[in-house]
Amino acid sequence: MTLINAQCRLAARPVGLPNASDWKFVQEPAPEPQYGEFRVAVEYLSIDPAMRSWMNAGRSYVPPLAIGEVMRAGGIGRVIDSRHPDFHVDEHVYGVFGVQRYAVSDGTGVTRVDTTLAPAPVHLGVLGISGLTAYFGLLDIGRPEPGQTVVVSGAAGSVGSVVGQIARIKGSRAVGIAGGEQKCRWLVEELGFDGAVDYKRGDVQAQLREHAPDGVDVFFDNVGGEVLGAVLARLARGARVVLCGAVSQYNATEAPRGPANYMQLLVARASMTGFVIFDYAARYGEGHAQLAEWLRSGELRSREDLVHGDIDQFPDVLLRIFHGTNMGKLVLALDGD
């Protein structure tokens, strides 16, 4: 029986928030694996803020998606047939398989997923790229010390929620910036953050003065824009700013503006460093082992925002990130055919 592959392709480069005309849905026979390849039935798709930046033309840390290309996405699936000596039927694997039902791979960039350690969606969050981003970005670039104050924006997201927990594990104070009372309460009451700033209440600087009276030693930024400017005004001497993302800017229809008060870096003798997780690929094993240990011990908690649906629901699920309605790791679980 011929398998039919459903795909979501980029039809146009979005202006502002992506809309229906920016996508094209295609159904075609699933590709057959050749010698040295295997075929995966994709079961879970990672939904990430960075997806929006991949749709734009121009220079970035990865090539932009081409018009007509299958939307790029990390995913976990099951090997359903294989002509590859190292990958076997029924194994679960992770790879950048794209927003589609079936994918063929030669194994490049693909890793096995141990579903006995944790359910598959956890391997897209705490035990996946999100967790690794938090781990290496905070510890290698941020370098928090016991007793120092770590502030993270986008704190209720898949990366930010892990950053704050690792800061607490390392003996630092963790303060999260998030939108809404529910998210802020979750950070403090369930994840153990020392405090939370609700940017929807306004006057972020005043809230930071309350939660970081001695200044911010480490800022892990996932948001950019006005939030970045507010935190720069509260830096402690020798602070480290980790630039991981700028979700507030991804749908901007005008050229983004840098923080007007960037000279606060000079005043505070601080540093600001851009960070891309793919630079740490050779050390993924190290990070994964430590994250798994913390997860087993209960020091680290995982939360997946699992949305069940089909390929054609991807655009709506992606918008949940930019509407601020998700908490934890957002995952699209593909229902069976």
Side-chain angles (χ1 to χ4, degrees), residues 263-276:
M263 286 296 288
Q264 290 299 317
L265 293 166
L266 183 152
V267 173
R269 288 73 155 178
S271 63
M272 185 158 62
T273 306
F275 165 75
V276 176

Side-chain angles (χ1 to χ4, degrees), residues 101-141:
R101 277 281 179 183
Y102 301 99
V104 165
S105 173
D106 64 2
T108 302
V110 174
T111 56
R112 290 177 179 81
V113 172
D114 183 0
T115 54
T116 65
L117 177 62
V122 179
H123 292 266
L124 293 176
V126 168
L127 295 181
I129 292 296
S130 296
L132 292 170
T133 299
Y135 180 87
F136 289 112
L138 178 64
L139 299 184
D140 271 44
I141 309 297

Side-chain angles (χ1 to χ4, degrees), residues 91-110:
E91 286 186 321
H92 277 85
V93 292
Y94 167 85
V96 183
F97 298 130
V99 182
Q100 56 184 343
R101 277 281 179 183
Y102 301 99
V104 165
S105 173
D106 64 2
T108 302
V110 174

Side-chain angles (χ1 to χ4, degrees), residues 125-128 130-135 162 166 286-296 300:
V126 168
L127 295 181
S130 296
L132 292 170
T133 299
Y135 180 87
V162 180
I166 294 176
E286 166 199 335
H288 185 273
Q290 181 61 81
L291 291 163
E293 181 180 326
W294 286 333
L295 192 64
R296 281 192 297 265
L300 188 60

Side-chain angles (χ1 to χ4, degrees), residues 42-112:
V42 181
E43 297 175 347
Y44 300 97
L45 289 171
S46 178
I47 311 299
D48 301 290
M51 287 175 152
R52 177 62 187 84
S53 65
W54 300 339
M55 302 175 207
N56 296 332
R59 180 172 178 262
S60 186
Y61 60 90
V62 292
L65 281 164
I67 300 299
E69 186 177 350
V70 174
M71 179 62 202
R72 185 183 297 143
I76 289 175
R78 182 174 59 86
V79 177
I80 57 172
D81 47 80
S82 178
R83 299 183 64 188
H84 193 296
D86 298 327
F87 290 89
H88 308 292
V89 171
D90 287 335
E91 286 186 321
H92 277 85
V93 292
Y94 167 85
V96 183
F97 298 130
V99 182
Q100 56 184 343
R101 277 281 179 183
Y102 301 99
V104 165
S105 173
D106 64 2
T108 302
V110 174
T111 56
R112 290 177 179 81

Side-chain angles (χ1 to χ4, degrees), residues 248-258:
S248 70
Q249 306 297 303
Y250 292 160
N251 294 296
T253 55
E254 300 177 354
R257 298 177 180 177

Side-chain angles (χ1 to χ4, degrees), residues 129-146 148-153 159-175 193 216-222 239-244 271 273-277 280 283 286 291 294 300:
I129 292 296
S130 296
L132 292 170
T133 299
Y135 180 87
F136 289 112
L138 178 64
L139 299 184
D140 271 44
I141 309 297
R143 305 184 308 281
E145 298 177 8
Q148 291 189 333
T149 296
V150 174
V151 173
V152 54
S153 60
V159 173
S161 60
V162 180
V163 167
Q165 292 184 80
I166 294 176
R168 293 288 290 125
I169 290 169
K170 292 297 184 177
S172 302
R173 296 184 65 253
V175 177
F193 280 56
V216 176
D217 298 291
V218 180
F219 178 44
F220 194 109
D221 188 26
N222 296 301
R240 286 81 66 199
V241 178
V242 184
L243 292 182
C244 182
S271 63
T273 306
F275 165 75
V276 176
I277 184 56
Y280 286 81
R283 295 176 59 192
E286 166 199 335
L291 291 163
W294 286 333
L300 188 60

